[in-house]
Structure formats: structure tokens, C-alpha cells
Amino acid sequence: MPEPVTPVNAPSDRVVVDGKFFRLGPRKFHLKGVTYGPFAPNADGETFAPPEQTARDFRLIRELGANALRVYYPPPVWWLDLAAEHQLRVFVDIPWPKHLCFLDSKQSRAGARRTVRDTVARTRGHPAVFAHSVVNEIPADIVRWSGTRRVERFIEELLDQAKTADPTGLFTFTSFPPTEFLRPANSDFVCFNVYLHQPDALEGYLSRLQTLAEAKPLVLGEFGMDSIREGEARQSGFLAWQIEGAFRSGLAGTVVFSFTDDWFRGGQQIEDWGFGLTTRDRRPKPSFHTVQRHYRIAPRFPLRPEARVSVVVATYNGARTLRNCLQSLTRLNYPDYEVIVVDDGSTDETPEIAAEFPSVRCLRQANQGLSAARNSGVRAATGRIVAFTDDDCRVDEDWLYYLVGDLQRGGFAGIGGHNFLPPEDSPVAAVVAASPGGPAHVMLTDRDAEHVPGCNMAFYMEALEQIGLFDPTFRKAGDDVDVCWRLLACGLRLGFSPAGFVWHYRRSTVQAYLKQQAGYGEAEALLLRKHPDRFNSLGGGVWRGRIYNTAKAGVIVGRSVIYHGLFGSGFFQRLYAPEPSLPLMLCTTLGYHVFVTVPLLVLSVYMGFLLPVALASLLLSLGVCAVAAAQAHLPRHNRRFWSRPLIALLFFLQPLVRGWARFQWRLRTRSNRGSRLPEVPVAAAADAPGFLCYWAQGGVERYHLLRGIQEGLERCACAFEPDTGWEGYDLEITGNPWSRLRLTTVTEELELGRKNFRCRLETFWSFQVKWLFAALVVVEALAIAALAEQLPWLWLLPATLPLSFWFVAEQGRDFQFVVAALIDDAARRHGLVRLPDADPGNRKPVPVEEDSERVAGKVCPPTRAVADLRTGGGTFPRQD
């Protein structure tokens, strides 16, 4: 159904930005426009048609179903009044000599500022004006000549000039592929002119532009096809999939180039191009009727098919924001969905608030944690797709439409979207949103995600069932990270929907924010035990993709790299964006302060010359936090004099609170995690090697043995991580705080269907031990340097290092014995026969606690879990 047109009656009736879209009053405003002119100058020297012709054009444009016009010169007042009468919005380009090296001339810069300021001032408050573009398509050569950052700063200056002239207006800069790297920070929305004639190429590039646009609306400012060269039939088909593809991709609007073939440019009539929907005498082409049909359907083209969705909201004492959440969920533009609230033992007014919504199913259970609550919702769900949001979120009315549409078209197992700070949230919440540690998505490509935030995600039910739902171990946070990593480990894909966004209320006090970060620290400790290959030796998470968040992950010290020279003539310029400087951010971590700053401060009491070094170390940390606060993005209406100092303070406190919580949790849980490991008799230690070999006859596969080993580790509550295809081993096992073990297996094919299974067990130090030895060496060296003259016995301290090495080696050897016993048990269960360690191919099989003739005939039938392990899981086909 076409969107009802909202009449334009008063200057106060203005379009505003609303997340990734525009809003006019209570309803969204999707820009459905055409370019208009310029034409040969009329009697008054204006590049617009006479009033009579203009009125006829506007009536035809309304028949087209368009609601906006884009013009390339500031229109006169009579023209704007006529547009308002026909309920048309006007997108005005402001022309100035951007094709010259304008930054080399003070007069050119001043003229551009004056033109922008005067144009906006003349049209300020007019009811027909939608937005202004302060410049359209700066030539790429001019940008390279003047410097990317200088041009970007000048565009930002022009945008500020426009906002000063009209504080409530909308302003942008119109770019195109050769200058996609220009990203002025203060534009209200992103506008690109794109001419691509292949559907896959356009879909891919729009995904890229959505990534570049981040939290701002994206408008396709120009697109079209020349009917003279391509033919009217091809132009018509081209515009059909262009419009549908753009709106399905979540764009806030499109502008077709152009309304008519009548086009005057550069002082002459253009005769050899025919981009218009009508001829020069305004006769509609086939493309006119195509655009008319698609603009009537836009923005919500039918999904294929419209799968039933179950929306699960897990809540615990969420009364403050739950009502807003449920109100938004009852107004979704989606035909078939249900809402399930899981009350995880709340003690506030949560049950009463949920009861206010008869259409919402409410489940109540004793407090079991976030993952258990989400699992309860999944088990109660009736939809093929299960979507999740939090009780402190307010969803966009088209949230499910875009989320499900992108999930279906992309062939993903799961998908997520943006979470934005609501405009009505408090200044403290804005500070929290700009501080580290908030919910973020991690992108591998412009379409594929490595992680999507738990406050905005959806999965196919069969994908969740394949991985066994959420892990109840994660009570506060981390469940979304765990689910994403397990899905990826099964060979499935995650996607990202830029238009499927939610408004996410942030913590409104510093205390609540730090409490949240402590919970995240505990979750990281659990994730480290379950997914050790996803963390580095310092205990930090290792992401293969790029993190996107309202807050920067660190201080940006590099610059964007674009092509120059001969390569700079390419039409599509790839942007190499600067990464946050992680080495600088290490200066703010708990480990840095514990092993560097604090020891230096303590030693400076005895060694005065170390005091400047200690103070420099502390000032380095504070300086990094101050720079990060200066680079943080804050909404203008939420800025206060104390905002950036508070962000700097949170950048300093957050890694300390989160790191300490992570360390405490690991200390509390390390004994429990290994307490159920089997006891190995001393006699067994003599032949518990770093190498094992087993013999089998018949249908047993190496994957059966691996699965049996994993089941044994799970029974013993021993943390392990299977290889996901990136490593050179099959399992990495964590059983004590000192050692880790990597298990590698291989199959040797023998005659008559017989096989040998070899297992290699390699132990290495855990990251705690690495840090402990590093700290021990540093402390001993500093102590000897500072106090050896007063305390000569300190020279004996290095003698403790070999003893420490021996202790850790023995712990690793003991752990190797335990794992060997677990492997023996798994082998026995699958009917394998243990072979002697030396030269196994020439030895007679020796049974492990069973008769060899009996066990040799055993065959383990393949299970679904084993089949999944062998195939790496399934994939979800594209649904067109």
C-alpha cells in the first residue's frame, strides 16, 4: 500500500532525522524523489521553467507518486510556494565553484561560505524545504590536490555555516564513489550519487555505503539510466530493481535522475542524453509507469516468505523501561509475530507492567540468569525465527521487516542490527554511550558479521537448536558472544541489517555503568575458559573483524589511506580506515597499572630517581584517556561542560573495573573447573605419554573418537575449544591454572579396513603463568637493583626461577596424564585397542581393559552430533 501523504501546512512542520530514517510528525518520511532541471533560463534569468509549465510538471510528478524534488540551483520563492501547494518537498543543492582548487584561494573559500549562508537564510523555515546539500560531488583530483582532511574540514565548516543560518534544518554533503572517503562528521544524513547497472554490484555497494553511513540515514541522491544508449525498455527494468533494491537495503530515500530529458547545463541544451522519465515535451516513457508502481509500494516491498517470528524479551527488575519496550513491540509493521516476556524472578513491578499488554505472553520463573531466561523464551516460541531484544530497548516500527528481510536474502543463520542512544536519554547516558565497553557489532565484511549485540539479534530456530540454545553458564552477559562464536564454529554465517535498529537506553549513572562493566568482566572470564582460542596471551579477546560502536575502541592516531597517482583515477576508491592504537590503550589496562605503574611508584619511595618515571607512566595513562575523550562523539543536545572530563574518567576506570572483575572471577572458578577431573594412579603415569596410538577394525572414524573425548571433557567440567578451521590442532584443553594442552589426531589407513588412530598431546603454559613469570622477573630485577646493597640475600632470588619452572612443568605433566586417561576411556567406549607407544604399525594390538577379539568387532554408529562435527554444520540457503 502507498504511504499516505502528510500535508505541508506550517513552517514548523519539518522533517527530522529519526535513527536511520526521517520522520515527519508521528510518521516516517521516506524520500521518493526525482531530480528537476536545471532548464534554460526563463524571462527572469532563473534556471526553472515558467510558472505555468512548472505547475503542469508538479501535477505529473504527483501522479508519479514522488514526494520530493532535487534541484541544483536555489529556487525562487514562488517556485517553493508552488511546490508546497502540491505537497512536494525540495532537496536543494547549493552551487559554488567546487571544480576549482578552492582551498588555494581565500576569496573562493569566503565566497563558498557566503553562498551557503545566504542560500539557507533565504529559504529558512519554508514549508517546502526538505534539506540542503552544501556541495555536490567535489572532483576526486581536487580532493587529492588539496588534501583529504583539509577538504573534509572545509565541508564541516560549510555545514556549520548552514546550521547557524537555520538551526532546525537538515544539511548534508553529496558524495559519489570516487570520493567515498570524505566523511564530514556533522552532516545530518549521508547522500551518494551512484550509477551501477548490475544488481549484485549495486546491492554490494549499498551495503558498503550503509557501513560508511553508520548511524545516519542513507539517501541515494542520484541514480538512473540513459534511454538513448540503453533503450527505454532496459531503462524501465533497471529502475524497477534499483528502487526495490535500495528500499530493501534500508535506505531512507531515493532520487531518480531525472524527471525529464529537458536538461540545460554548461550554457547549452543537452541533446545526447535521455535519463528522463518523460521526454522533453513531458510525454511519459515506460520507466515513468515503472517508477510510479514502485514508488506506490515503497518502502515496504513484500518479504518472501513472511516467516512467523517470536520476539523474546528477558527481563529482571526492568520496570523502569519495560513499558516503553512493550509499547514499541505492539506497534511493529510485521504481519505475523508474537511477543514473549520471560520474567526471571523480578522483585519490582515488572509482572504488573507485563500484564498491561494482553497480546504479550508472560512467563515467570525463579531467577536463573539471562541465558536461562532466553532459553525459556525459545522453548515457548512458535515462530521459525526467534528475535531478541532487551527490556531497556525501544524498537523501531520496521525493526522486524528489515531484520527478517536481510536474514532471508543473505542466507544467514542469524542477524543483528544497530542499537542507538534514544534522543530523549539523559546527558549522563550520552556519556556512557561514548565510553568504552558498550554493545557493539563486529563486521567481517560489509554484510557478514562476527558478532551481533544481544539487544538486537535474530536467529533461525533450527540454528539455535543445532548448537543447543544459549549456555546457562552466562547469567549476566556474554551469552550473545558465545552463541555467535558457536554458530560460526559450525560453519554458519551471521549477517547485519543496518536498517533493523533499536533504541537502547544506556545506564543513567556512573555506578550503574561500572556495575555493568564488572558483569562484562565476569562474562569474559567464562568466555576465556570456553573459547581459549578467541583470546590472546594477555587475556584480551581476538576479533577477526572490525568493531563498530558509538564509542571508539581506542585512540585513533593514524590516517585514512586512499589511492593516489595512476591508481587514483579509479572510479571506486577503497578506504583503508585507521585502526585504534591498541598499544596505547594497553597503558590503561589493569595489568599495566599492576605490573608497571604501581611497582614504579612503590620503588620510587626507595629510589627517588624513579619518581619521574612513575609519574610519566601514570600521566601516559591519563593522557590516553583524555585524547580518547576528545575524540568521542557526543550528540549536540546532550553536551555539557563536564561531559568530556567524565568520559575521560570512565575511560580510566572501565578497564580497571572490568579487568578486576575478570581476574576475581577466574580466581574463584579455577578450582571448581578442574575439581571433577579424574584421578590418575601413580602407576599409570609411567606409561602416560605425549603420544598415544589406537587400533580399530571397521566403521569407527577419527571423528567418533574426538566426539567421545569431548563428551568425557564435558562430564569432567573441563574447559576445551575445538578447532574452527584456523588452527593446527583438534582440541585445546584447559584443566588447571598452569597449563593448557593441545590434542592433534590423525588416521592411518591399513589393509582390510583396519585403521590406526594417533594422538599427540602437547602442553604449554597458560597465560596466567606467562604473566606470573614476567612479573616475577621484573620484581626480582627491580628489587635487586634497588636493595641489593642493604639486603645481599636478594641475590638468591633468581634461584627460585628454576624451581618455579620445575613446578609448572610437573603440573603440565600431571595434566597430560589426566587427558591421556580421558582419551583411553573414550577409546574403550568406541571399541578401540591401545597399541604400545613404540613402532605401533608393527606391534600386535593390546586391549585396554577388554578382550581384543571382542572389542575389535565393535562399530560405533554415527550420530547427528558426529555428523555435524564431520561436516562443520549446515548452511541456510538463500530464499528468494
Side-chain angles (χ1 to χ4, degrees), residues 610-641:
L610 287 179
L611 182 59
V613 180
L615 293 177
S617 174
L618 181 60
L619 289 175
L620 175 62
S621 298
L622 296 175
V624 169
C625 296
V627 173
Q631 293 181 349
H633 173 71
L634 276 170
R636 291 194 177 198
H637 68 279
N638 275 329
R639 293 177 188 173
R640 302 293 186 272
F641 72 90

PDB file of all heavy atoms in Angstrom, residues 610-641:
ATOM      1  N   LEU A 610      63.383   7.191  40.330  1.00  0.00           N
ATOM      2  CA  LEU A 610      62.305   6.534  39.604  1.00  0.00           C
ATOM      3  C   LEU A 610      60.979   7.289  39.677  1.00  0.00           C
ATOM      4  O   LEU A 610      60.041   6.958  38.953  1.00  0.00           O
ATOM      5  CB  LEU A 610      62.082   5.115  40.145  1.00  0.00           C
ATOM      6  CG  LEU A 610      63.146   4.073  39.795  1.00  0.00           C
ATOM      7  CD1 LEU A 610      62.795   2.734  40.435  1.00  0.00           C
ATOM      8  CD2 LEU A 610      63.272   3.917  38.279  1.00  0.00           C
ATOM      9  N   LEU A 611      60.888   8.300  40.544  1.00  0.00           N
ATOM     10  CA  LEU A 611      59.628   9.022  40.692  1.00  0.00           C
ATOM     11  C   LEU A 611      59.190   9.686  39.391  1.00  0.00           C
ATOM     12  O   LEU A 611      58.015   9.572  39.018  1.00  0.00           O
ATOM     13  CB  LEU A 611      59.739  10.060  41.812  1.00  0.00           C
ATOM     14  CG  LEU A 611      58.453  10.852  42.102  1.00  0.00           C
ATOM     15  CD1 LEU A 611      57.318   9.915  42.497  1.00  0.00           C
ATOM     16  CD2 LEU A 611      58.696  11.886  43.201  1.00  0.00           C
ATOM     17  N   PRO A 612      60.069  10.376  38.656  1.00  0.00           N
ATOM     18  CA  PRO A 612      59.608  10.943  37.366  1.00  0.00           C
ATOM     19  C   PRO A 612      59.132   9.879  36.385  1.00  0.00           C
ATOM     20  O   PRO A 612      58.173  10.105  35.636  1.00  0.00           O
ATOM     21  CB  PRO A 612      60.861  11.666  36.842  1.00  0.00           C
ATOM     22  CG  PRO A 612      61.683  11.942  38.049  1.00  0.00           C
ATOM     23  CD  PRO A 612      61.452  10.785  38.961  1.00  0.00           C
ATOM     24  N   VAL A 613      59.779   8.713  36.413  1.00  0.00           N
ATOM     25  CA  VAL A 613      59.344   7.634  35.516  1.00  0.00           C
ATOM     26  C   VAL A 613      57.959   7.133  35.921  1.00  0.00           C
ATOM     27  O   VAL A 613      57.084   6.896  35.069  1.00  0.00           O
ATOM     28  CB  VAL A 613      60.357   6.477  35.535  1.00  0.00           C
ATOM     29  CG1 VAL A 613      59.917   5.353  34.593  1.00  0.00           C
ATOM     30  CG2 VAL A 613      61.742   6.971  35.163  1.00  0.00           C
ATOM     31  N   ALA A 614      57.746   6.993  37.233  1.00  0.00           N
ATOM     32  CA  ALA A 614      56.443   6.540  37.720  1.00  0.00           C
ATOM     33  C   ALA A 614      55.344   7.541  37.364  1.00  0.00           C
ATOM     34  O   ALA A 614      54.250   7.165  36.922  1.00  0.00           O
ATOM     35  CB  ALA A 614      56.493   6.313  39.225  1.00  0.00           C
ATOM     36  N   LEU A 615      55.635   8.825  37.566  1.00  0.00           N
ATOM     37  CA  LEU A 615      54.644   9.848  37.238  1.00  0.00           C
ATOM     38  C   LEU A 615      54.393   9.899  35.734  1.00  0.00           C
ATOM     39  O   LEU A 615      53.254  10.103  35.287  1.00  0.00           O
ATOM     40  CB  LEU A 615      55.110  11.208  37.746  1.00  0.00           C
ATOM     41  CG  LEU A 615      55.184  11.363  39.270  1.00  0.00           C
ATOM     42  CD1 LEU A 615      55.728  12.736  39.636  1.00  0.00           C
ATOM     43  CD2 LEU A 615      53.805  11.150  39.890  1.00  0.00           C
ATOM     44  N   ALA A 616      55.437   9.713  34.935  1.00  0.00           N
ATOM     45  CA  ALA A 616      55.265   9.699  33.478  1.00  0.00           C
ATOM     46  C   ALA A 616      54.375   8.534  33.057  1.00  0.00           C
ATOM     47  O   ALA A 616      53.535   8.663  32.144  1.00  0.00           O
ATOM     48  CB  ALA A 616      56.616   9.607  32.790  1.00  0.00           C
ATOM     49  N   SER A 617      54.538   7.381  33.714  1.00  0.00           N
ATOM     50  CA  SER A 617      53.704   6.229  33.404  1.00  0.00           C
ATOM     51  C   SER A 617      52.243   6.523  33.709  1.00  0.00           C
ATOM     52  O   SER A 617      51.345   6.210  32.903  1.00  0.00           O
ATOM     53  CB  SER A 617      54.174   5.021  34.205  1.00  0.00           C
ATOM     54  OG  SER A 617      53.319   3.924  34.041  1.00  0.00           O
ATOM     55  N   LEU A 618      51.997   7.140  34.862  1.00  0.00           N
ATOM     56  CA  LEU A 618      50.618   7.476  35.232  1.00  0.00           C
ATOM     57  C   LEU A 618      50.039   8.533  34.291  1.00  0.00           C
ATOM     58  O   LEU A 618      48.885   8.443  33.857  1.00  0.00           O
ATOM     59  CB  LEU A 618      50.573   7.961  36.676  1.00  0.00           C
ATOM     60  CG  LEU A 618      49.194   8.341  37.228  1.00  0.00           C
ATOM     61  CD1 LEU A 618      48.244   7.150  37.172  1.00  0.00           C
ATOM     62  CD2 LEU A 618      49.318   8.859  38.659  1.00  0.00           C
ATOM     63  N   LEU A 619      50.853   9.554  33.974  1.00  0.00           N
ATOM     64  CA  LEU A 619      50.378  10.612  33.078  1.00  0.00           C
ATOM     65  C   LEU A 619      50.113  10.085  31.674  1.00  0.00           C
ATOM     66  O   LEU A 619      49.234  10.584  30.974  1.00  0.00           O
ATOM     67  CB  LEU A 619      51.396  11.751  33.037  1.00  0.00           C
ATOM     68  CG  LEU A 619      51.495  12.601  34.307  1.00  0.00           C
ATOM     69  CD1 LEU A 619      52.626  13.614  34.202  1.00  0.00           C
ATOM     70  CD2 LEU A 619      50.168  13.311  34.580  1.00  0.00           C
ATOM     71  N   LEU A 620      50.875   9.078  31.240  1.00  0.00           N
ATOM     72  CA  LEU A 620      50.626   8.478  29.935  1.00  0.00           C
ATOM     73  C   LEU A 620      49.233   7.874  29.900  1.00  0.00           C
ATOM     74  O   LEU A 620      48.486   8.071  28.925  1.00  0.00           O
ATOM     75  CB  LEU A 620      51.683   7.416  29.639  1.00  0.00           C
ATOM     76  CG  LEU A 620      51.489   6.618  28.344  1.00  0.00           C
ATOM     77  CD1 LEU A 620      51.536   7.537  27.126  1.00  0.00           C
ATOM     78  CD2 LEU A 620      52.552   5.523  28.225  1.00  0.00           C
ATOM     79  N   SER A 621      48.869   7.147  30.944  1.00  0.00           N
ATOM     80  CA  SER A 621      47.529   6.557  31.006  1.00  0.00           C
ATOM     81  C   SER A 621      46.459   7.635  31.004  1.00  0.00           C
ATOM     82  O   SER A 621      45.463   7.551  30.265  1.00  0.00           O
ATOM     83  CB  SER A 621      47.391   5.698  32.261  1.00  0.00           C
ATOM     84  OG  SER A 621      48.307   4.634  32.255  1.00  0.00           O
ATOM     85  N   LEU A 622      46.650   8.656  31.828  1.00  0.00           N
ATOM     86  CA  LEU A 622      45.656   9.730  31.888  1.00  0.00           C
ATOM     87  C   LEU A 622      45.580  10.482  30.571  1.00  0.00           C
ATOM     88  O   LEU A 622      44.494  10.893  30.132  1.00  0.00           O
ATOM     89  CB  LEU A 622      46.007  10.696  33.036  1.00  0.00           C
ATOM     90  CG  LEU A 622      45.953  10.095  34.447  1.00  0.00           C
ATOM     91  CD1 LEU A 622      46.435  11.119  35.470  1.00  0.00           C
ATOM     92  CD2 LEU A 622      44.536   9.642  34.783  1.00  0.00           C
ATOM     93  N   GLY A 623      46.723  10.669  29.909  1.00  0.00           N
ATOM     94  CA  GLY A 623      46.734  11.374  28.631  1.00  0.00           C
ATOM     95  C   GLY A 623      45.994  10.605  27.552  1.00  0.00           C
ATOM     96  O   GLY A 623      45.257  11.199  26.744  1.00  0.00           O
ATOM     97  N   VAL A 624      46.173   9.276  27.520  1.00  0.00           N
ATOM     98  CA  VAL A 624      45.456   8.454  26.547  1.00  0.00           C
ATOM     99  C   VAL A 624      43.952   8.574  26.772  1.00  0.00           C
ATOM    100  O   VAL A 624      43.166   8.703  25.815  1.00  0.00           O
ATOM    101  CB  VAL A 624      45.917   6.984  26.646  1.00  0.00           C
ATOM    102  CG1 VAL A 624      44.995   6.077  25.842  1.00  0.00           C
ATOM    103  CG2 VAL A 624      47.345   6.841  26.155  1.00  0.00           C
ATOM    104  N   CYS A 625      43.530   8.558  28.028  1.00  0.00           N
ATOM    105  CA  CYS A 625      42.104   8.692  28.334  1.00  0.00           C
ATOM    106  C   CYS A 625      41.577  10.063  27.912  1.00  0.00           C
ATOM    107  O   CYS A 625      40.446  10.183  27.410  1.00  0.00           O
ATOM    108  CB  CYS A 625      41.862   8.465  29.826  1.00  0.00           C
ATOM    109  SG  CYS A 625      42.263   6.804  30.401  1.00  0.00           S
ATOM    110  N   ALA A 626      42.380  11.104  28.109  1.00  0.00           N
ATOM    111  CA  ALA A 626      41.962  12.455  27.721  1.00  0.00           C
ATOM    112  C   ALA A 626      41.818  12.568  26.207  1.00  0.00           C
ATOM    113  O   ALA A 626      40.861  13.171  25.699  1.00  0.00           O
ATOM    114  CB  ALA A 626      42.962  13.484  28.245  1.00  0.00           C
ATOM    115  N   VAL A 627      42.760  11.983  25.461  1.00  0.00           N
ATOM    116  CA  VAL A 627      42.669  12.027  23.992  1.00  0.00           C
ATOM    117  C   VAL A 627      41.453  11.239  23.519  1.00  0.00           C
ATOM    118  O   VAL A 627      40.731  11.673  22.601  1.00  0.00           O
ATOM    119  CB  VAL A 627      43.964  11.479  23.366  1.00  0.00           C
ATOM    120  CG1 VAL A 627      43.814  11.352  21.864  1.00  0.00           C
ATOM    121  CG2 VAL A 627      45.140  12.377  23.708  1.00  0.00           C
ATOM    122  N   ALA A 628      41.208  10.087  24.129  1.00  0.00           N
ATOM    123  CA  ALA A 628      40.037   9.290  23.752  1.00  0.00           C
ATOM    124  C   ALA A 628      38.750  10.076  24.005  1.00  0.00           C
ATOM    125  O   ALA A 628      37.812  10.026  23.204  1.00  0.00           O
ATOM    126  CB  ALA A 628      40.023   7.975  24.530  1.00  0.00           C
ATOM    127  N   ALA A 629      38.689  10.805  25.114  1.00  0.00           N
ATOM    128  CA  ALA A 629      37.508  11.625  25.403  1.00  0.00           C
ATOM    129  C   ALA A 629      37.354  12.751  24.390  1.00  0.00           C
ATOM    130  O   ALA A 629      36.242  13.094  23.991  1.00  0.00           O
ATOM    131  CB  ALA A 629      37.611  12.180  26.815  1.00  0.00           C
ATOM    132  N   ALA A 630      38.479  13.337  23.964  1.00  0.00           N
ATOM    133  CA  ALA A 630      38.410  14.419  22.979  1.00  0.00           C
ATOM    134  C   ALA A 630      37.917  13.913  21.633  1.00  0.00           C
ATOM    135  O   ALA A 630      37.240  14.644  20.892  1.00  0.00           O
ATOM    136  CB  ALA A 630      39.788  15.067  22.828  1.00  0.00           C
ATOM    137  N   GLN A 631      38.226  12.666  21.293  1.00  0.00           N
ATOM    138  CA  GLN A 631      37.801  12.101  20.010  1.00  0.00           C
ATOM    139  C   GLN A 631      36.388  11.525  20.056  1.00  0.00           C
ATOM    140  O   GLN A 631      35.813  11.210  19.013  1.00  0.00           O
ATOM    141  CB  GLN A 631      38.763  10.994  19.578  1.00  0.00           C
ATOM    142  CG  GLN A 631      40.159  11.487  19.224  1.00  0.00           C
ATOM    143  CD  GLN A 631      41.064  10.351  18.775  1.00  0.00           C
ATOM    144  OE1 GLN A 631      40.729   9.168  18.915  1.00  0.00           O
ATOM    145  NE2 GLN A 631      42.218  10.691  18.232  1.00  0.00           N
ATOM    146  N   ALA A 632      35.806  11.406  21.252  1.00  0.00           N
ATOM    147  CA  ALA A 632      34.486  10.786  21.380  1.00  0.00           C
ATOM    148  C   ALA A 632      33.416  11.645  20.724  1.00  0.00           C
ATOM    149  O   ALA A 632      33.491  12.874  20.724  1.00  0.00           O
ATOM    150  CB  ALA A 632      34.158  10.562  22.857  1.00  0.00           C
ATOM    151  N   HIS A 633      32.419  10.963  20.165  1.00  0.00           N
ATOM    152  CA  HIS A 633      31.297  11.667  19.532  1.00  0.00           C
ATOM    153  C   HIS A 633      30.158  11.801  20.528  1.00  0.00           C
ATOM    154  O   HIS A 633      29.712  10.815  21.122  1.00  0.00           O
ATOM    155  CB  HIS A 633      30.809  10.911  18.298  1.00  0.00           C
ATOM    156  CG  HIS A 633      29.556  11.490  17.714  1.00  0.00           C
ATOM    157  ND1 HIS A 633      29.536  12.702  17.051  1.00  0.00           N
ATOM    158  CD2 HIS A 633      28.269  11.025  17.708  1.00  0.00           C
ATOM    159  CE1 HIS A 633      28.304  12.965  16.652  1.00  0.00           C
ATOM    160  NE2 HIS A 633      27.521  11.955  17.035  1.00  0.00           N
ATOM    161  N   LEU A 634      29.675  13.032  20.715  1.00  0.00           N
ATOM    162  CA  LEU A 634      28.561  13.313  21.610  1.00  0.00           C
ATOM    163  C   LEU A 634      27.477  14.065  20.852  1.00  0.00           C
ATOM    164  O   LEU A 634      27.770  15.019  20.129  1.00  0.00           O
ATOM    165  CB  LEU A 634      29.024  14.175  22.797  1.00  0.00           C
ATOM    166  CG  LEU A 634      29.646  13.474  23.995  1.00  0.00           C
ATOM    167  CD1 LEU A 634      30.248  14.495  24.944  1.00  0.00           C
ATOM    168  CD2 LEU A 634      28.602  12.642  24.726  1.00  0.00           C
ATOM    169  N   PRO A 635      26.205  13.658  20.993  1.00  0.00           N
ATOM    170  CA  PRO A 635      25.129  14.450  20.388  1.00  0.00           C
ATOM    171  C   PRO A 635      25.132  15.881  20.929  1.00  0.00           C
ATOM    172  O   PRO A 635      25.362  16.096  22.126  1.00  0.00           O
ATOM    173  CB  PRO A 635      23.858  13.694  20.816  1.00  0.00           C
ATOM    174  CG  PRO A 635      24.315  12.321  21.172  1.00  0.00           C
ATOM    175  CD  PRO A 635      25.711  12.466  21.694  1.00  0.00           C
ATOM    176  N   ARG A 636      24.893  16.830  20.074  1.00  0.00           N
ATOM    177  CA  ARG A 636      24.981  18.231  20.479  1.00  0.00           C
ATOM    178  C   ARG A 636      24.046  18.563  21.635  1.00  0.00           C
ATOM    179  O   ARG A 636      24.419  19.291  22.560  1.00  0.00           O
ATOM    180  CB  ARG A 636      24.666  19.134  19.281  1.00  0.00           C
ATOM    181  CG  ARG A 636      25.728  19.107  18.200  1.00  0.00           C
ATOM    182  CD  ARG A 636      25.545  20.244  17.243  1.00  0.00           C
ATOM    183  NE  ARG A 636      26.610  20.269  16.244  1.00  0.00           N
ATOM    184  CZ  ARG A 636      26.911  21.322  15.507  1.00  0.00           C
ATOM    185  NH1 ARG A 636      26.217  22.439  15.636  1.00  0.00           N
ATOM    186  NH2 ARG A 636      27.883  21.270  14.627  1.00  0.00           N
ATOM    187  N   HIS A 637      22.820  18.045  21.582  1.00  0.00           N
ATOM    188  CA  HIS A 637      21.858  18.422  22.608  1.00  0.00           C
ATOM    189  C   HIS A 637      22.172  17.800  23.960  1.00  0.00           C
ATOM    190  O   HIS A 637      21.574  18.178  24.971  1.00  0.00           O
ATOM    191  CB  HIS A 637      20.441  18.031  22.164  1.00  0.00           C
ATOM    192  CG  HIS A 637      20.209  16.549  22.111  1.00  0.00           C
ATOM    193  ND1 HIS A 637      20.618  15.759  21.048  1.00  0.00           N
ATOM    194  CD2 HIS A 637      19.623  15.698  22.992  1.00  0.00           C
ATOM    195  CE1 HIS A 637      20.287  14.505  21.263  1.00  0.00           C
ATOM    196  NE2 HIS A 637      19.687  14.436  22.437  1.00  0.00           N
ATOM    197  N   ASN A 638      23.090  16.831  23.996  1.00  0.00           N
ATOM    198  CA  ASN A 638      23.459  16.186  25.260  1.00  0.00           C
ATOM    199  C   ASN A 638      24.822  16.618  25.773  1.00  0.00           C
ATOM    200  O   ASN A 638      25.318  16.059  26.756  1.00  0.00           O
ATOM    201  CB  ASN A 638      23.444  14.663  25.105  1.00  0.00           C
ATOM    202  CG  ASN A 638      22.065  14.067  25.316  1.00  0.00           C
ATOM    203  OD1 ASN A 638      21.276  14.605  26.086  1.00  0.00           O
ATOM    204  ND2 ASN A 638      21.764  12.983  24.625  1.00  0.00           N
ATOM    205  N   ARG A 639      25.441  17.594  25.150  1.00  0.00           N
ATOM    206  CA  ARG A 639      26.767  18.027  25.588  1.00  0.00           C
ATOM    207  C   ARG A 639      26.656  18.981  26.775  1.00  0.00           C
ATOM    208  O   ARG A 639      25.842  19.898  26.778  1.00  0.00           O
ATOM    209  CB  ARG A 639      27.510  18.712  24.440  1.00  0.00           C
ATOM    210  CG  ARG A 639      27.860  17.782  23.296  1.00  0.00           C
ATOM    211  CD  ARG A 639      28.539  18.531  22.159  1.00  0.00           C
ATOM    212  NE  ARG A 639      28.696  17.687  20.984  1.00  0.00           N
ATOM    213  CZ  ARG A 639      29.140  18.120  19.814  1.00  0.00           C
ATOM    214  NH1 ARG A 639      29.484  19.403  19.661  1.00  0.00           N
ATOM    215  NH2 ARG A 639      29.242  17.292  18.790  1.00  0.00           N
ATOM    216  N   ARG A 640      27.495  18.730  27.776  1.00  0.00           N
ATOM    217  CA  ARG A 640      27.606  19.607  28.934  1.00  0.00           C
ATOM    218  C   ARG A 640      29.090  19.910  29.151  1.00  0.00           C
ATOM    219  O   ARG A 640      29.964  19.229  28.612  1.00  0.00           O
ATOM    220  CB  ARG A 640      27.017  18.956  30.191  1.00  0.00           C
ATOM    221  CG  ARG A 640      25.548  18.567  30.064  1.00  0.00           C
ATOM    222  CD  ARG A 640      24.638  19.767  29.931  1.00  0.00           C
ATOM    223  NE  ARG A 640      23.231  19.398  29.955  1.00  0.00           N
ATOM    224  CZ  ARG A 640      22.527  19.068  28.885  1.00  0.00           C
ATOM    225  NH1 ARG A 640      23.117  19.046  27.681  1.00  0.00           N
ATOM    226  NH2 ARG A 640      21.255  18.746  28.984  1.00  0.00           N
ATOM    227  N   PHE A 641      29.394  20.878  29.989  1.00  0.00           N
ATOM    228  CA  PHE A 641      30.793  21.240  30.221  1.00  0.00           C
ATOM    229  C   PHE A 641      31.568  20.098  30.860  1.00  0.00           C
ATOM    230  O   PHE A 641      32.781  19.983  30.714  1.00  0.00           O
ATOM    231  CB  PHE A 641      30.872  22.508  31.077  1.00  0.00           C
ATOM    232  CG  PHE A 641      30.493  22.302  32.521  1.00  0.00           C
ATOM    233  CD1 PHE A 641      31.445  21.960  33.481  1.00  0.00           C
ATOM    234  CD2 PHE A 641      29.168  22.426  32.923  1.00  0.00           C
ATOM    235  CE1 PHE A 641      31.094  21.763  34.813  1.00  0.00           C
ATOM    236  CE2 PHE A 641      28.812  22.225  34.247  1.00  0.00           C
ATOM    237  CZ  PHE A 641      29.772  21.889  35.195  1.00  0.00           C
TER     238      PHE A 641
END
